[in-house]
Amino acid sequence: MSPTAATESTDVRDRILSTGQRIMGGKGFSAVGLNEVLSAAGVPKGSFYHYFASKEAFGDALLDDYFAAYLADMDRTFAQPGKNRAQQLEAYFAAWKDNQSFEDCQGKCLAVKLGAEVADLSHSMRTTLQRGTAGIIERLAHVLEAGAAEGSLAFTGKPDAVAQSLYALWLGASLMVKIVRDTQPFDTAWRTTQQILHPSA
């Protein structure tokens, strides 16, 4: 395959994934057919199987792509200069609140939208979700440990256990936001986060 053809192939694959992420982030995985995704992406149906072996394989790639971008955003947030770890965490959770909209997440809340649904449908996609969320928790644990070392955070327990609890707290808040159609659960989650971490001023 020529470099030009390879680039075009990658562009088409990325377009299918970004379109799928946007649509499935709003409607869910099972409720969306491949025809809807391909039509919105402007890609012929026959081309789909050139890039993905099945809808499940597409779901795996969708989640892999989502988590790669999500973890890269986390890395940028936690590398912000001029901020201590407590301030970086505050920025991270503020971005979480902004992105996890109950109105239209535009693919930014894919893990929240698909988590419970596909975990029961597909072992492969559940494994992808598990790997992605483990990456999130690992990064949170690293920031907590560094924050405790610098004195901007003070918490009880091991960093990885606290990180897992915080992620579960905010994941639950995201679900509640969708149920009550209001961002108040995020405000409660943030107050609880402050009680757990005791961030310094």
Side-chain angles (χ1 to χ4, degrees):
M1 182 182 293
S2 68
T4 300
T7 299
E8 291 176 353
S9 178
T10 300
D11 289 344
V12 172
R13 184 180 186 276
D14 289 346
R15 189 161 74 249
I16 296 172
L17 285 172
S18 62
T19 303
Q21 185 176 130
R22 175 174 54 81
I23 295 174
M24 291 178 175
K27 296 182 177 181
F29 185 77
S30 300
V32 177
L34 294 178
N35 284 342
E36 181 178 357
V37 174
L38 296 173
S39 177
V43 176
K45 184 177 181 181
S47 300
F48 176 83
Y49 294 102
H50 174 71
Y51 303 101
F52 310 100
S54 63
K55 186 180 180 183
E56 183 180 43
F58 172 65
D60 284 334
L62 197 71
L63 289 168
D64 271 331
D65 193 60
Y66 166 80
F67 280 115
Y70 188 100
L71 294 174
D73 282 343
M74 285 188 79
D75 291 339
R76 283 189 290 272
T77 298
F78 296 146
Q80 289 179 342
K83 291 187 177 182
N84 62 31
R85 294 302 192 180
Q87 292 166 333
Q88 290 173 352
L89 271 175
E90 182 175 2
Y92 169 71
F93 287 121
W96 184 311
K97 179 179 177 179
D98 289 341
N99 290 334
Q100 304 292 329
S101 168
F102 59 89
E103 295 176 336
D104 186 8
C105 69
Q106 290 293 311
K108 295 179 181 178
C109 53
L110 199 67
V112 175
K113 186 69 176 182
L114 302 190
E117 178 189 1
V118 302
D120 291 332
L121 293 176
S122 165
H123 172 74
S124 177
M125 293 176 70
R126 183 185 64 78
T127 300
T128 305
L129 276 163
Q130 187 175 20
R131 182 171 62 250
T133 55
I136 294 172
I137 293 169
E138 180 181 6
R139 282 163 172 77
L140 287 174
H142 173 75
V143 172
L144 293 177
E145 186 173 15
E150 73 182 8
S152 66
L153 300 172
F155 51 88
T156 301
K158 295 182 178 180
D160 55 344
V162 176
Q164 188 169 9
S165 295
L166 286 174
Y167 183 68
L169 168 68
W170 282 82
L171 198 63
S174 297
L175 293 175
M176 285 303 302
V177 162
K178 292 182 180 300
I179 292 171
V180 302
R181 317 301 284 178
D182 186 90
T183 59
Q184 183 274 331
F186 285 139
D187 297 330
T188 300
W190 174 241
R191 287 194 296 270
T192 302
T193 299
Q194 291 178 302
Q195 291 169 2
I196 293 170
L197 300 181
H198 306 288
S200 63

Coordinates of all heavy atoms in Angstrom, one line a residue, residues 4 10 15 26 34-35 60 62 73 112 116-117 129 131 144 176 179 185 195 201:
T4 N 0.2 7.3 0.5 CA -1.0 8.1 0.3 C -2.2 7.2 0.6 O -3.2 7.7 1.3 CB -1.1 8.6 -1.1 OG1 0.0 9.5 -1.4 CG2 -2.4 9.4 -1.3
T10 N -6.3 5.3 7.0 CA -6.3 5.7 8.4 C -7.3 6.8 8.6 O -8.0 6.8 9.6 CB -4.9 6.2 8.8 OG1 -3.9 5.1 8.6 CG2 -4.9 6.6 10.2
R15 N -12.4 8.5 10.9 CA -13.7 9.1 10.7 C -14.8 8.2 11.2 O -15.8 8.7 11.8 CB -13.9 9.5 9.3 CG -15.1 10.4 9.0 CD -15.1 11.1 7.7 NE -15.4 10.3 6.6 CZ -14.5 9.9 5.7 NH1 -13.2 10.3 5.8 NH2 -14.8 9.2 4.6
G26 N -24.1 9.2 22.7 CA -25.5 9.7 23.0 C -26.5 8.6 23.1 O -27.4 8.7 23.9
L34 N -24.8 -0.2 12.5 CA -23.7 0.2 11.7 C -24.0 1.2 10.6 O -23.3 2.1 10.2 CB -22.9 -1.0 11.2 CG -22.3 -1.9 12.2 CD1 -21.6 -3.1 11.5 CD2 -21.2 -1.1 13.0
N35 N -25.2 0.9 10.0 CA -25.7 1.8 8.9 C -25.7 3.2 9.3 O -25.4 4.1 8.5 CB -27.0 1.3 8.3 CG -26.9 0.1 7.5 OD1 -25.8 -0.3 7.0 ND2 -28.0 -0.6 7.3
D60 N -14.5 -2.5 20.4 CA -13.2 -2.5 21.1 C -12.3 -1.4 20.6 O -11.7 -0.7 21.4 CB -12.5 -3.8 20.7 CG -13.0 -5.0 21.5 OD1 -13.6 -4.8 22.6 OD2 -12.9 -6.2 21.0
L62 N -13.3 1.4 19.3 CA -13.9 2.7 19.7 C -13.5 3.0 21.2 O -13.1 4.1 21.5 CB -15.5 2.5 19.7 CG -16.4 3.7 19.8 CD1 -16.3 4.5 18.4 CD2 -17.8 3.3 20.0
D73 N -5.3 13.3 27.7 CA -5.8 14.6 28.3 C -5.4 14.6 29.8 O -5.0 15.7 30.3 CB -7.3 14.7 28.2 CG -7.7 15.1 26.8 OD1 -6.9 15.7 26.1 OD2 -8.9 14.9 26.5
V112 N -18.9 6.2 30.5 CA -20.0 6.3 31.4 C -21.2 5.7 30.6 O -22.0 4.9 31.2 CB -20.3 7.7 31.8 CG1 -21.6 7.8 32.6 CG2 -19.2 8.3 32.6
A116 N -21.8 0.0 31.8 CA -22.7 -1.0 32.3 C -23.3 -1.8 31.1 O -23.5 -3.0 31.2 CB -23.8 -0.4 33.1
E117 N -23.6 -1.2 30.0 CA -24.2 -1.9 28.9 C -23.3 -2.9 28.3 O -23.7 -4.1 28.2 CB -24.6 -0.8 27.8 CG -25.2 -1.5 26.6 CD -25.4 -0.5 25.4 OE1 -25.0 0.7 25.5 OE2 -25.9 -0.9 24.3
L129 N -12.7 -2.0 28.6 CA -13.1 -1.0 29.6 C -12.3 -1.1 30.9 O -11.8 -0.1 31.5 CB -14.6 -1.2 29.9 CG -15.6 -0.6 29.0 CD1 -17.0 -1.2 29.2 CD2 -15.7 0.9 29.3
R131 N -9.2 -2.3 31.2 CA -7.9 -1.8 30.9 C -7.8 -0.3 30.9 O -6.9 0.4 31.5 CB -7.4 -2.4 29.6 CG -5.9 -2.0 29.3 CD -5.4 -2.7 28.0 NE -6.2 -2.4 26.8 CZ -7.0 -3.3 26.2 NH1 -7.2 -4.5 26.7 NH2 -7.7 -3.0 25.1
L144 N -2.1 11.4 43.6 CA -2.4 11.4 45.0 C -1.1 11.2 45.8 O -0.8 11.9 46.8 CB -3.4 10.3 45.3 CG -4.8 10.5 44.8 CD1 -5.7 9.3 45.2 CD2 -5.4 11.8 45.3
M176 N -25.8 9.7 38.0 CA -26.9 10.4 38.7 C -27.2 11.7 37.9 O -28.4 12.1 37.9 CB -26.5 10.8 40.1 CG -26.5 9.6 41.1 SD -28.2 8.8 41.1 CE -29.2 10.2 41.7
I179 N -29.6 10.9 35.4 CA -30.9 10.5 35.9 C -31.7 11.8 36.3 O -32.9 11.9 35.9 CB -30.8 9.6 37.1 CG1 -30.2 8.2 36.6 CG2 -32.1 9.4 37.8 CD1 -29.9 7.3 37.8
P185 N -25.2 16.5 41.3 CA -24.4 15.4 41.9 C -22.9 15.7 41.7 O -22.1 15.2 42.5 CB -24.8 14.2 41.0 CG -26.3 14.6 40.7 CD -26.3 16.0 40.4
Q195 N -13.4 16.5 51.1 CA -13.3 15.9 52.5 C -12.4 14.7 52.5 O -11.7 14.5 53.6 CB -14.8 15.4 52.8 CG -15.7 16.6 53.1 CD -17.2 16.1 53.1 OE1 -17.4 14.9 53.1 NE2 -18.1 17.0 53.3
A201 N -4.7 25.1 50.6 CA -5.0 26.3 49.9 C -4.0 26.7 48.9 O -2.8 26.4 49.1 CB -5.2 27.5 50.9

